[in-house]
């Protein structure tokens, strides 16, 4: 990890990150799927949605992103500053979503090119460096490992410099060590933005969340977190205890583990 | 991070490794030497069959005579070859423009696709020999008629493969492009066209051979030669004169042209894909 200690503050156009609220109910084929509920993402904080697969976490994220889902939202998604959200959202998914025909730099600067801007290649290089891939700028995704590809995806997400970042299980396909590194890296580089992290892993949620919501049967419930600020050490006693509580909650209250 | 994947591998010299390397080395030269050897043996067998049985040259000429004819009639054959090549390449070029253009149109409008795809299929499944006589009745210019025939045969694989490719862009990437606010044109230019490239190139390789077949078949149908006749007519004419060696020489040129077109398109495909596409990346097994 060559990125330790590098700050990108000097290069970044800091944008005030607004809080975000999704309000309403989700309807699937004329049947209510969830809600009515209110999902509030506090400004400049990490909000984690934790729940088993199929609980509707990703659907909530896609509704906020304005992507098509089978579920129709009867309600609103709005930012605190009441400006439109389009163009202010960055997105990172479980798969790296890299264009295989573009090299690392090309992928990182994709958003700029789509907006018809001249890509800031110095900044792109600095970000590639920050995610620990200096020297691999000209490599195609096929030449990179899964972890490296996800780093490129993170660099691209950062390159967008969007105040709102949506993460849909971005680390779940990585091995334990790479995942821990990526979590620390993301926590550091995405600090100050409004982040929504969707995950099915209690450990990850406890490590990174400022606010933790359990998604169950279409409802949301707030879960307590340790006092230490994120990113929390994965082996800290408070982290582990919170993780244990979450496991119990996931299994159903009071059930023996 | 990179040292794990890129560090120089230590020299492993166990038995398995050595046999694996030997196999790789064998495959490397065998790929070229074996086919050449097989063809050489085939020609030798042909030569022996002809000389040992004393087969007269007007029934089956030996390889030596065919080669001599190739040299002796070179001027005539070259002219014919150039005509055939010209029609083939022009037909291929129009097939690419038409095929890709229609494919793009089809993916942009479902309505257009539903309306016109059946016609493309009908054109494809109707044997060209049965359409060609009609074409030569309605089209006065012989060259244009040949081109139309070759195009009909060649454009379908480009169209169907490119359509498939344009539609198989990763839907997650489409989501990403939507979040980036990409326009329809940008999605086509930066996502769908690159995604379709490997499929298109696969179709192009088939179309290259088909364009040659189309131009040769069309010329058989067109019949009467005169100025500007290609290899097919050369074969036809030689058969009327019972000039069997020239028939073989022309046939040889057609086959060689097909192989060269295929090899050229394969090379093009490799150059465009070898850095990123699964089909062309060399992996250590």
């Amino acid at each position: 990890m060559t990125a330790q200690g590098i700050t990108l503050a000097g290069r970044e156009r800091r944008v005030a990150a607004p809080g975000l609220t999704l309000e309403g109910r989700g309807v699937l084929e004329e049947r209510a799927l969830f809600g009515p509920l209110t999902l509030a993402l506090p400004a400049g904080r990490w909000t984690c949605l934790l729940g088993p697969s199929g609980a509707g976490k990703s659907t909530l994220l896609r509704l906020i992103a304005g992507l098509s889902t089978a579920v129709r939202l009867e309600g609103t998604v709005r930012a605190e500053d009441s400006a439109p959200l389009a163009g202010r959202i960055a997105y990172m998914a479980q798969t790296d979503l890299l264009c295989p025909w573009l090299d690392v730099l090309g992928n990182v600067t994709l958003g700029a090119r789509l907006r018809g801007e001249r890509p800031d290649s110095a900044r792109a290089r600095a970000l590639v460096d920050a995610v620990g891939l200096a020297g691999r700028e000209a490599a195609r995704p096929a030449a990179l490992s899964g972890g490296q590809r996800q780093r490129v995806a993170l660099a691209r997400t950062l390159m967008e410099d969007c105040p709102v970042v949506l993460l849909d299980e971005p680390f779940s396909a990585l091995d334990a060590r790479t995942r821990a590194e990526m979590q620390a890296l993301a926590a550091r580089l995405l600090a100050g933005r409004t982040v929504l992290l969707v995950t099915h892993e209690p450990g990850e949620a406890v490590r990174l969340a400022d606010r933790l919501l359990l998604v169950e049967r279409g409802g949301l419930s707030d879960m307590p977190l340790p006092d230490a600020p994120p990113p929390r050490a994965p082996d800290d006693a408070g982290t582990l205890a919170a993780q244990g509580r979450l496991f119990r909650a996931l299994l159903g209250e009071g059930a023996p583990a | 991070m990179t040292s794990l994947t890129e560090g120089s591998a230590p020299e492993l010299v166990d038995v398995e490794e050595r046999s694996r390397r030997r196999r790789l080395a064998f495959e490397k030269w065998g790929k070229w030497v074996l086919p050449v050897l097989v063809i050489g043996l085939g020609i030798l067998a042909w030569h022996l069959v002809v000389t040992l049985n004393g087969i007269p040259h007007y029934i089956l000429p030996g390889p030596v005579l065919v080669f001599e004819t190739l040299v002796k009639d070179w001027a005539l054959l070259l002219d014919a070859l150039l005509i055939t090549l010209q029609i083939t390449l022009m037909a291929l070029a129009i097939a690419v423009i038409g095929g890709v253009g229609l494919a793009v149109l089809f993916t942009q409008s479902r309505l257009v696709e539903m309306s016109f795809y059946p016609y493309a299929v009908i054109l494809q499944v109707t044997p060209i020999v049965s359409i060609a006589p009609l074409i030569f009745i309605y089209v006065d210019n012989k060259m244009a008629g040949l081109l139309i025939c070759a195009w009909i045969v060649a454009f379908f694989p480009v169209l169907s493969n490119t359509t498939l490719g344009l539609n198989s862009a990763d839907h997650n990437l489409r989501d990403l492009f939507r979040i980036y606010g990409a326009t329809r044109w940008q999605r086509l230019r930066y996502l769908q066209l690159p995604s379709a490239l490997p499929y298109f190139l696969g179709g192009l390789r088939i179309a290259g051979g088909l364009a040659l077949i189309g131009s040769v078949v069309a010329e058989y149908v067109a019949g009467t030669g005169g100025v500007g006749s290609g290899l097919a007519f050369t074969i036809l004419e030689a058969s009327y004169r019972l000039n069997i060696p020239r028939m073989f020489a022309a046939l040889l040129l057609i086959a060689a042209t097909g192989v060269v077109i295929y090899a050229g398109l394969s090379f093009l495909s490799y150059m465009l894909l070898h850095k990123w596409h699964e089909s062309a990346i060399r992996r250590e097994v």
Side-chain angles (χ1 to χ4, degrees), chain A residues 16 19 25 45 54 69 72 99-100 122 171 183 197 199 240 247:
Chain A
R25 16 183 255 135
R45 300 282 176 199
T69 61
R72 192 160 45 83
C99 295
F171 313 125
Q183 286 167 349
L197 171 68
T199 181
L240 290 173
F247 259 122

PDB file of all heavy atoms in Angstrom, chain A residues 16 19 25 45 54 69 72 99-100 122 171 183 197 199 240 247:
ATOM      1  N   ALA A  16     -19.869  20.742  -0.855  1.00  0.00           N
ATOM      2  CA  ALA A  16     -20.606  20.463   0.371  1.00  0.00           C
ATOM      3  C   ALA A  16     -21.557  19.313   0.093  1.00  0.00           C
ATOM      4  O   ALA A  16     -22.320  19.342  -0.861  1.00  0.00           O
ATOM      5  CB  ALA A  16     -21.381  21.697   0.802  1.00  0.00           C
ATOM      6  N   GLY A  19     -27.404  16.235   2.878  1.00  0.00           N
ATOM      7  CA  GLY A  19     -28.101  15.060   3.371  1.00  0.00           C
ATOM      8  C   GLY A  19     -29.148  14.666   2.341  1.00  0.00           C
ATOM      9  O   GLY A  19     -29.436  15.410   1.401  1.00  0.00           O
ATOM     10  N   ARG A  25     -43.474   4.745  -0.220  1.00  0.00           N
ATOM     11  CA  ARG A  25     -43.620   3.300  -0.186  1.00  0.00           C
ATOM     12  C   ARG A  25     -43.253   2.717  -1.541  1.00  0.00           C
ATOM     13  O   ARG A  25     -43.405   3.364  -2.577  1.00  0.00           O
ATOM     14  CB  ARG A  25     -45.031   2.884   0.204  1.00  0.00           C
ATOM     15  CG  ARG A  25     -46.092   3.972   0.118  1.00  0.00           C
ATOM     16  CD  ARG A  25     -47.418   3.464   0.602  1.00  0.00           C
ATOM     17  NE  ARG A  25     -48.287   3.217  -0.558  1.00  0.00           N
ATOM     18  CZ  ARG A  25     -49.022   2.134  -0.715  1.00  0.00           C
ATOM     19  NH1 ARG A  25     -48.988   1.175   0.187  1.00  0.00           N
ATOM     20  NH2 ARG A  25     -49.782   1.990  -1.776  1.00  0.00           N
ATOM     21  N   ARG A  45     -21.959  11.821   6.014  1.00  0.00           N
ATOM     22  CA  ARG A  45     -21.766  10.647   6.876  1.00  0.00           C
ATOM     23  C   ARG A  45     -21.963   9.369   6.092  1.00  0.00           C
ATOM     24  O   ARG A  45     -22.593   9.355   5.039  1.00  0.00           O
ATOM     25  CB  ARG A  45     -22.778  10.670   8.036  1.00  0.00           C
ATOM     26  CG  ARG A  45     -22.687  11.858   8.925  1.00  0.00           C
ATOM     27  CD  ARG A  45     -21.530  11.695   9.856  1.00  0.00           C
ATOM     28  NE  ARG A  45     -21.342  12.887  10.676  1.00  0.00           N
ATOM     29  CZ  ARG A  45     -20.201  13.163  11.298  1.00  0.00           C
ATOM     30  NH1 ARG A  45     -19.173  12.354  11.158  1.00  0.00           N
ATOM     31  NH2 ARG A  45     -20.079  14.237  12.031  1.00  0.00           N
ATOM     32  N   GLY A  54     -31.869 -10.127  -0.695  1.00  0.00           N
ATOM     33  CA  GLY A  54     -33.271 -10.141  -1.060  1.00  0.00           C
ATOM     34  C   GLY A  54     -34.148  -9.320  -0.139  1.00  0.00           C
ATOM     35  O   GLY A  54     -35.357  -9.331  -0.268  1.00  0.00           O
ATOM     36  N   THR A  69     -35.960  -0.045 -11.593  1.00  0.00           N
ATOM     37  CA  THR A  69     -36.161  -1.251 -10.786  1.00  0.00           C
ATOM     38  C   THR A  69     -37.558  -1.770 -11.087  1.00  0.00           C
ATOM     39  O   THR A  69     -38.373  -1.069 -11.669  1.00  0.00           O
ATOM     40  CB  THR A  69     -36.096  -0.954  -9.270  1.00  0.00           C
ATOM     41  OG1 THR A  69     -37.140  -0.030  -8.961  1.00  0.00           O
ATOM     42  CG2 THR A  69     -34.773  -0.383  -8.855  1.00  0.00           C
ATOM     43  N   ARG A  72     -41.776   0.299  -7.965  1.00  0.00           N
ATOM     44  CA  ARG A  72     -42.111   1.699  -8.198  1.00  0.00           C
ATOM     45  C   ARG A  72     -42.167   2.422  -6.863  1.00  0.00           C
ATOM     46  O   ARG A  72     -42.730   1.908  -5.891  1.00  0.00           O
ATOM     47  CB  ARG A  72     -43.466   1.774  -8.903  1.00  0.00           C
ATOM     48  CG  ARG A  72     -43.838   3.114  -9.464  1.00  0.00           C
ATOM     49  CD  ARG A  72     -44.936   2.918 -10.527  1.00  0.00           C
ATOM     50  NE  ARG A  72     -45.960   1.997 -10.061  1.00  0.00           N
ATOM     51  CZ  ARG A  72     -46.983   2.361  -9.285  1.00  0.00           C
ATOM     52  NH1 ARG A  72     -47.117   3.597  -8.905  1.00  0.00           N
ATOM     53  NH2 ARG A  72     -47.873   1.454  -8.904  1.00  0.00           N
ATOM     54  N   CYS A  99     -14.789  -0.731 -18.103  1.00  0.00           N
ATOM     55  CA  CYS A  99     -14.869  -1.043 -19.525  1.00  0.00           C
ATOM     56  C   CYS A  99     -13.601  -1.814 -19.891  1.00  0.00           C
ATOM     57  O   CYS A  99     -12.499  -1.267 -19.765  1.00  0.00           O
ATOM     58  CB  CYS A  99     -14.943   0.226 -20.358  1.00  0.00           C
ATOM     59  SG  CYS A  99     -16.441   1.157 -20.080  1.00  0.00           S
ATOM     60  N   PRO A 100     -13.739  -3.060 -20.341  1.00  0.00           N
ATOM     61  CA  PRO A 100     -12.533  -3.864 -20.576  1.00  0.00           C
ATOM     62  C   PRO A 100     -11.661  -3.327 -21.700  1.00  0.00           C
ATOM     63  O   PRO A 100     -10.483  -3.661 -21.778  1.00  0.00           O
ATOM     64  CB  PRO A 100     -13.090  -5.250 -20.926  1.00  0.00           C
ATOM     65  CG  PRO A 100     -14.506  -5.042 -21.277  1.00  0.00           C
ATOM     66  CD  PRO A 100     -14.966  -3.824 -20.574  1.00  0.00           C
ATOM     67  N   ALA A 122      -3.779  14.682 -14.489  1.00  0.00           N
ATOM     68  CA  ALA A 122      -2.899  14.754 -13.303  1.00  0.00           C
ATOM     69  C   ALA A 122      -3.638  14.249 -12.071  1.00  0.00           C
ATOM     70  O   ALA A 122      -3.125  13.453 -11.287  1.00  0.00           O
ATOM     71  CB  ALA A 122      -2.425  16.194 -13.100  1.00  0.00           C
ATOM     72  N   PHE A 171     -17.346  -4.424  -1.753  1.00  0.00           N
ATOM     73  CA  PHE A 171     -16.170  -5.204  -1.342  1.00  0.00           C
ATOM     74  C   PHE A 171     -16.492  -6.682  -1.162  1.00  0.00           C
ATOM     75  O   PHE A 171     -15.641  -7.450  -0.721  1.00  0.00           O
ATOM     76  CB  PHE A 171     -15.602  -4.653  -0.027  1.00  0.00           C
ATOM     77  CG  PHE A 171     -15.462  -3.167  -0.020  1.00  0.00           C
ATOM     78  CD1 PHE A 171     -16.045  -2.403   0.982  1.00  0.00           C
ATOM     79  CD2 PHE A 171     -14.749  -2.525  -1.020  1.00  0.00           C
ATOM     80  CE1 PHE A 171     -15.932  -1.022   0.971  1.00  0.00           C
ATOM     81  CE2 PHE A 171     -14.618  -1.141  -1.020  1.00  0.00           C
ATOM     82  CZ  PHE A 171     -15.209  -0.386  -0.026  1.00  0.00           C
ATOM     83  N   GLN A 183     -11.676  -1.269   2.627  1.00  0.00           N
ATOM     84  CA  GLN A 183     -12.585  -0.555   3.523  1.00  0.00           C
ATOM     85  C   GLN A 183     -11.880   0.654   4.138  1.00  0.00           C
ATOM     86  O   GLN A 183     -12.413   1.763   4.164  1.00  0.00           O
ATOM     87  CB  GLN A 183     -13.067  -1.489   4.641  1.00  0.00           C
ATOM     88  CG  GLN A 183     -14.072  -2.514   4.179  1.00  0.00           C
ATOM     89  CD  GLN A 183     -14.290  -3.611   5.189  1.00  0.00           C
ATOM     90  OE1 GLN A 183     -13.540  -3.724   6.166  1.00  0.00           O
ATOM     91  NE2 GLN A 183     -15.306  -4.427   4.955  1.00  0.00           N
ATOM     92  N   LEU A 197     -23.934   2.851   2.062  1.00  0.00           N
ATOM     93  CA  LEU A 197     -23.291   1.560   1.825  1.00  0.00           C
ATOM     94  C   LEU A 197     -24.306   0.452   2.062  1.00  0.00           C
ATOM     95  O   LEU A 197     -24.891   0.351   3.136  1.00  0.00           O
ATOM     96  CB  LEU A 197     -22.093   1.386   2.771  1.00  0.00           C
ATOM     97  CG  LEU A 197     -21.452   0.000   2.794  1.00  0.00           C
ATOM     98  CD1 LEU A 197     -20.758  -0.314   1.476  1.00  0.00           C
ATOM     99  CD2 LEU A 197     -20.458  -0.121   3.942  1.00  0.00           C
ATOM    100  N   THR A 199     -24.790  -3.500   2.391  1.00  0.00           N
ATOM    101  CA  THR A 199     -23.945  -4.673   2.641  1.00  0.00           C
ATOM    102  C   THR A 199     -24.742  -5.761   3.349  1.00  0.00           C
ATOM    103  O   THR A 199     -25.766  -5.491   3.968  1.00  0.00           O
ATOM    104  CB  THR A 199     -22.710  -4.288   3.484  1.00  0.00           C
ATOM    105  OG1 THR A 199     -21.922  -5.442   3.689  1.00  0.00           O
ATOM    106  CG2 THR A 199     -23.106  -3.719   4.823  1.00  0.00           C
ATOM    107  N   LEU A 240     -16.405  -5.795  17.879  1.00  0.00           N
ATOM    108  CA  LEU A 240     -16.791  -7.205  17.877  1.00  0.00           C
ATOM    109  C   LEU A 240     -18.110  -7.421  18.595  1.00  0.00           C
ATOM    110  O   LEU A 240     -18.955  -8.209  18.147  1.00  0.00           O
ATOM    111  CB  LEU A 240     -15.685  -8.044  18.521  1.00  0.00           C
ATOM    112  CG  LEU A 240     -14.413  -8.152  17.675  1.00  0.00           C
ATOM    113  CD1 LEU A 240     -13.299  -8.847  18.458  1.00  0.00           C
ATOM    114  CD2 LEU A 240     -14.695  -8.907  16.383  1.00  0.00           C
ATOM    115  N   PHE A 247     -25.416  -9.878  14.438  1.00  0.00           N
ATOM    116  CA  PHE A 247     -25.647 -11.258  14.021  1.00  0.00           C
ATOM    117  C   PHE A 247     -26.950 -11.765  14.621  1.00  0.00           C
ATOM    118  O   PHE A 247     -27.778 -12.357  13.935  1.00  0.00           O
ATOM    119  CB  PHE A 247     -24.488 -12.156  14.471  1.00  0.00           C
ATOM    120  CG  PHE A 247     -23.529 -12.459  13.353  1.00  0.00           C
ATOM    121  CD1 PHE A 247     -22.181 -12.121  13.476  1.00  0.00           C
ATOM    122  CD2 PHE A 247     -23.960 -13.063  12.185  1.00  0.00           C
ATOM    123  CE1 PHE A 247     -21.292 -12.387  12.455  1.00  0.00           C
ATOM    124  CE2 PHE A 247     -23.079 -13.333  11.166  1.00  0.00           C
ATOM    125  CZ  PHE A 247     -21.741 -12.999  11.297  1.00  0.00           C
TER     126      PHE A 247
END
